Amino acid sequence: IMAIFYPLFALVMLTFVMAVATGASRLTSVRRRDIDPKYYRLMTGATPPDYVQKTGRNFANLLETPVLFYLLGALVIALDIDNVELVQHAWLYVALRLVHTIIHVSYNNPIHRFLAFVASLLTLLAMWIQLYHLVG
């Protein structure tokens, strides 16, 4: 199995953890009566509590730019590219996404969260440039 698979798998697991956390926060909000359960039919008509919004937004974030990470990983596997530096960058990307998640669902400082996001985005861009050079 190619080494790039492991950081891909790690990010998938983080995404599943946040999916479960999102569902749990929504159930909790209904049980605590923090929001009318009807809100969840169309996600309209009320403002959910912060803890619900944070987990939901973070889960959505893990389905946005990481798509480019997964695509890159699939290309690396399909093209049978074995590059240690690329794998190191992949682990850095996953670590930065984890930092972003921890900030987002805990103390949620927008500047800290933004810095983690930008660092992850620049890492991903560097990986794509590196892949371009490896293929081209």
Side-chain angles (χ1 to χ4, degrees):
I1 194 162
M2 297 191 70
I4 195 78
F5 173 80
Y6 298 107
L8 292 168
F9 183 76
L11 191 59
V12 167
M13 290 299 101
L14 175 59
T15 303
F16 276 108
V17 165
M18 289 313 301
V20 170
T22 297
S25 72
R26 290 175 180 178
L27 286 172
T28 299
S29 72
V30 171
R31 282 191 196 129
R32 288 183 185 170
R33 298 175 193 239
D34 289 339
I35 195 161
D36 186 328
K38 291 178 184 175
Y39 166 79
Y40 293 112
R41 286 187 185 156
L42 298 174
M43 304 299 233
T44 60
T47 301
D50 286 353
Y51 65 91
V52 173
Q53 291 185 60
K54 288 193 301 188
T55 55
R57 279 299 308 142
N58 188 263
F59 177 59
N61 289 165
L62 287 168
L63 300 171
E64 293 170 350
T65 60
V67 168
L68 298 173
F69 177 71
Y70 296 129
L71 175 59
L72 182 135
L75 287 170
V76 167
I77 291 169
L79 297 171
D80 197 29
I81 294 171
D82 187 20
N83 183 280
V84 172
E85 188 178 322
L86 197 58
V87 173
Q88 290 171 337
H89 280 114
W91 278 116
L92 176 60
Y93 178 77
V94 171
L96 289 166
R97 294 307 307 184
L98 178 60
V99 167
H100 177 270
T101 292
I102 291 168
I103 292 167
H104 203 174
V105 300
S106 62
Y107 69 98
N108 201 24
N109 180 300
I111 293 171
H112 296 168
R113 195 177 77 226
F114 178 72
L115 290 174
F117 172 77
V118 168
S120 72
L121 197 61
L122 291 174
T123 300
L124 185 58
L125 175 61
M127 290 174 66
W128 273 98
I129 291 169
Q130 187 176 12
L131 179 63
Y132 175 80
H133 289 295
L134 289 170
V135 172

